Amino acid sequence: MKSDAVKKGAAQAPHRSLFNALGFTKEEMERPLVGIVSSYNEIVPGHMNLDEIVAAVKQGVAMAGGTPVVFPAIAVCDGIAMGHIGMKYSLVTRDLIADSTECMALAHQFDALVMIPNCDKNVPGLLMAAARINVPTVFVSGGPMLAGHVHGRKTSLSSMFEAVGANAAGKIDDEELKYFEENACPTCGSCSGMYTANSMNCLTEALGMGLRGNGTIPAVYSNRIRLAKEAGMAVMEMYRRNIRPLDIMTKEAILNALTVDMALGCSTNSMLHLPAIAHETGFDFDISLANEISEKTPNLCHLAPAGPTYMEDLNEAGGVYAVMKQLADLNLLNLDCMTVTGKTVGENIKNAVNLNPEVIRPNDNPYSKTGGLAVLKGNLAPDGGVVKRSAVAAEMLVHEGPARVFDCEEDAIEAIKGGKIVDGDVVVIRYEGPKGGPGMREMLNPTSAIAGMGLGSTVALITDGRFSGASRGASIGHVSPEAAVGGPIAFVEEGDLIKIDIPNMKLDFVISDEELAKRKAAWQPRAPKVTTGYLARYEKLVTSGNLGAVLKVPE
């Protein structure tokens, strides 16, 4: 056992004395030590039930012959952090989570791990850590929130943010806004649409690192507790068979996940997290793979914010496995990939059935013949920008309009809510990228304000920052290179004509080579916005959005 390094031999007598201080029995010391990485806290709604998940996992591990030991991982609530300096601290926690989990697991020589994440950055952060540590590992999330109900319609957090825009436009009064506020988020769990947290929990199933239902069983269902016990038992089977994360998270598995991403219509943030996870496994993930896979992968689901269905509906329709079975029928998945069930993908999904073709469209009637995400390139984004095309109104798939340029999110929101943005405009928000932010803030407030004010089918938004999974419309993020390093988005001026062509994966602004060269020569780098603390260190190490915003030591 790996943990023998802290348990066996005369030299480990001091170590054993400390285990004695923890109350460990001889029998517990003789079993494999299984680290239970708990993201429980009392500030993230998706995490308020994780203490129950942890207890169930511990029971499963113990039943299967292991000794469970809990240690923590942090998590930020993106919704609460939205729209202020707190959002600078969201994406950056992904690396803190990976680093701190690596430290705890290796410092204490755990034999196996169960990761218990739920919300946006601690799912990919823990997947990154799992690849680094590479001991048998199983994931079990806290599960999604049930949809809210407003005037008899299902709703979610994205509707809440859009209600703020509608209120600003005078379309609903303060009393109606209060009604939304009290009914949009009715239970614990990760917010109820196909936002980033649920996207990554579903993709954990597709990667093979989570059991069936990990992404879709609602947080408040008793099935979630049973799943947690099964995860505790499953990790012991992985330990006995020595099946490790790098045996599971292969290049083929990551491409499977990207394919499922396209079918589900996942958050654009998956195009930050999949490259980062791939980086930890040694796979050089080029985001242009998204277009190659999208061209042959049908978009089968339109969950909120793209459509009127929610995670509970996907769960009842057969979940991620039902989607994967349909993709397998089209020969779009590698079925030989190993998973934490101890079986291959093909073995896992062979009996999966689509129980609701209104939620998971059949292969002969997809929402579109191409996948939910697209990577756009052109003179405005030479290294790419990402759009959730499944959530773009048909009339905005091709669009030309004048640039309305803002150097921070706050200025853009003020202009949108002040009625200064009109039909046809292309809002450009820059200096919000990984370095420029720093921290690559999500732009849910401006996208929701645009939608709430009735401009969602006439106004586009482009940024070197990123979008929440709850964003919809012609919202193009991750524009690379970012403005802070002299990317072309830094050279756009008010009124420049911007051309968006999503079907042909193009993003350009109309400018002569001579004028572009002139603007580039006149451009000067800006002083960092933050010069102390973690964000200052992050700004020096972080790479571009098209590389997954991973951290690298400067050469």
Side-chain angles (χ1 to χ4, degrees), residues 303-542:
L303 288 96
T309 53
Y310 294 82
M311 296 305 297
E312 63 203 64
D313 302 312
L314 178 60
N315 186 62
E316 291 165 13
V320 175
Y321 276 23
V323 174
M324 293 177 72
K325 178 62 167 63
Q326 289 191 197
L327 296 175
D329 290 344
L330 296 172
N331 296 316
L332 294 177
L333 295 180
N334 186 313
L335 302 182
D336 296 326
C337 294
M338 179 51 64
T339 74
V340 293
T341 66
K343 299 178 181 179
T344 65
V345 168
E347 291 172 315
N348 285 343
I349 68 174
K350 66 180 180 181
N351 295 321
V353 177
N354 179 357
L355 300 175
N356 189 340
E358 296 299 315
V359 176
I360 305 171
R361 288 278 187 91
N363 287 340
D364 60 2
N365 183 34
Y367 282 100
S368 66
K369 293 181 179 180
T370 54
L373 298 179
V375 173
L376 313 184
K377 291 188 176 182
N379 68 356
L380 185 50
D383 294 334
V386 181
V387 63
K388 187 173 183 174
R389 65 175 165 188
S390 60
V392 178
E395 55 268 39
M396 289 298 290
L397 291 171
V398 177
H399 179 76
E400 295 184 12
R404 305 299 308 280
V405 182
F406 304 93
D407 287 351
C408 68
E409 177 189 9
E410 289 81 359
D411 290 349
I413 292 171
E414 183 179 352
I416 294 164
K417 291 185 176 178
K420 296 178 182 179
I421 302 301
V422 300
D423 290 347
D425 283 348
V426 178
V427 176
V428 177
I429 305 177
R430 61 192 181 190
Y431 295 100
E432 290 284 7
K435 285 186 177 293
M440 204 178 187
R441 288 194 287 181
E442 287 186 341
M443 302 292 164
L444 179 56
N445 274 350
T447 59
S448 298
I450 287 170
M453 297 184 76
L455 299 170
S457 60
T458 59
V459 170
L461 195 155
I462 296 171
T463 181
D464 54 7
R466 61 193 178 92
F467 294 109
S468 164
S471 293
R472 63 185 176 96
S475 304
I476 302 164
H478 309 191
V479 168
S480 302
E482 62 174 296
V485 298
I489 192 171
F491 312 140
V492 178
E493 294 184 356
E494 188 81 7
D496 284 348
L497 183 65
I498 293 181
K499 303 173 75 171
I500 300 167
D501 186 348
I502 294 173
N504 290 305
M505 287 80 168
K506 297 290 291 180
L507 179 61
D508 294 288
F509 67 127
V510 178
I511 187 172
S512 68
D513 291 343
E514 293 77 15
E515 178 63 18
L516 181 59
K518 178 181 175 183
R519 294 184 190 179
K520 185 174 183 178
W523 178 81
Q524 293 292 324
R526 299 191 175 193
K529 294 177 184 176
V530 180
T531 57
T532 60
Y534 179 57
L535 286 180
R537 298 196 300 276
Y538 181 89
E539 184 270 334
K540 294 183 186 306
L541 298 177
V542 70

Side-chain angles (χ1 to χ4, degrees), residues 118 141-148 154-156 187-205 213-219 221 224 260 264-267 301-305 307-321 323 356 359-360 388 469:
N118 210 28
S141 75
M145 183 184 292
L146 292 178
K154 285 185 177 181
T155 190
S156 61
T187 73
C188 63
S190 47
C191 295
S192 56
M194 188 54 81
Y195 311 142
T196 305
N198 292 326
S199 294
M200 293 310 302
N201 281 325
C202 287
L203 296 185
T204 299
E205 280 190 62
N214 178 67
T216 60
I217 297 172
Y221 282 13
R224 178 62 57 178
V260 174
L264 287 173
C266 290
S267 163
C301 300
H302 264 194
L303 288 96
T309 53
Y310 294 82
M311 296 305 297
E312 63 203 64
D313 302 312
L314 178 60
N315 186 62
E316 291 165 13
V320 175
Y321 276 23
V323 174
N356 189 340
V359 176
I360 305 171
K388 187 173 183 174

Side-chain angles (χ1 to χ4, degrees), residues 25 42-43 66 139 163 171 229 246 299 333 344 356 397 403 419 469 473 483:
T25 65
E42 295 182 342
I43 190 64
F139 275 67
K171 295 187 176 185
K229 293 176 184 176
L246 293 182
N299 178 223
L333 295 180
T344 65
N356 189 340
L397 291 171

Side-chain angles (χ1 to χ4, degrees), residues 1-188:
M1 286 186 283
K2 189 181 181 76
S3 61
D4 285 351
V6 296
K7 295 188 307 185
K8 294 286 180 71
Q12 278 66 42
H15 305 69
R16 289 193 296 275
S17 72
L18 294 171
F19 279 104
N20 289 338
L22 288 165
F24 276 58
T25 65
K26 178 176 179 292
E27 290 78 9
E28 286 175 305
M29 293 280 285
E30 289 174 349
R31 296 176 175 183
L33 291 184
V34 181
I36 313 297
V37 188
S38 170
S39 303
Y40 172 75
N41 63 49
E42 295 182 342
I43 190 64
V44 182
H47 291 218
M48 63 181 286
N49 66 322
L50 294 192
D51 54 345
E52 296 183 6
I53 301 297
V54 168
V57 169
K58 290 177 67 177
Q59 190 172 352
V61 168
M63 285 191 296
T67 298
V69 184
V70 179
F71 66 87
I74 64 167
V76 163
C77 176
D78 279 24
I80 295 174
M82 194 72 65
H84 55 89
I85 191 173
M87 184 43 67
K88 293 179 183 288
Y89 286 91
S90 171
L91 177 61
V92 305
T93 63
R94 185 187 70 184
D95 296 275
L96 279 176
I97 291 160
D99 293 348
S100 60
T101 303
E102 174 192 356
C103 291
M104 287 293 290
L106 296 180
H108 302 100
Q109 292 292 286
F110 288 106
D111 296 299
L113 298 166
V114 179
M115 306 290 199
I116 308 178
N118 210 28
C119 290
D120 291 21
K121 306 311 170 299
N122 71 331
V123 183
L126 290 178
L127 285 165
M128 291 162 66
R132 288 184 201 171
I133 301 161
N134 200 34
V135 297
T137 302
V138 175
F139 275 67
V140 57
S141 75
M145 183 184 292
L146 292 178
H149 290 83
V150 173
H151 301 306
R153 293 184 297 107
K154 285 185 177 181
T155 190
S156 61
L157 184 66
S158 54
S159 301
M160 185 67 250
F161 275 90
E162 290 177 16
V164 173
N167 178 258
K171 295 187 176 185
I172 64 172
D173 60 20
D174 290 348
E175 185 176 340
E176 177 71 356
L177 183 64
K178 180 72 172 176
Y179 179 77
F180 266 86
E181 178 184 328
E182 293 177 346
N183 292 280
C185 298
T187 73
C188 63

Side-chain angles (χ1 to χ4, degrees), residues 210-233:
L211 299 176
R212 182 175 189 172
N214 178 67
T216 60
I217 297 172
V220 294
Y221 282 13
S222 297
N223 269 356
R224 178 62 57 178
I225 300 298
R226 291 204 292 271
L227 183 74
K229 293 176 184 176
E230 290 164 1
M233 292 185 282

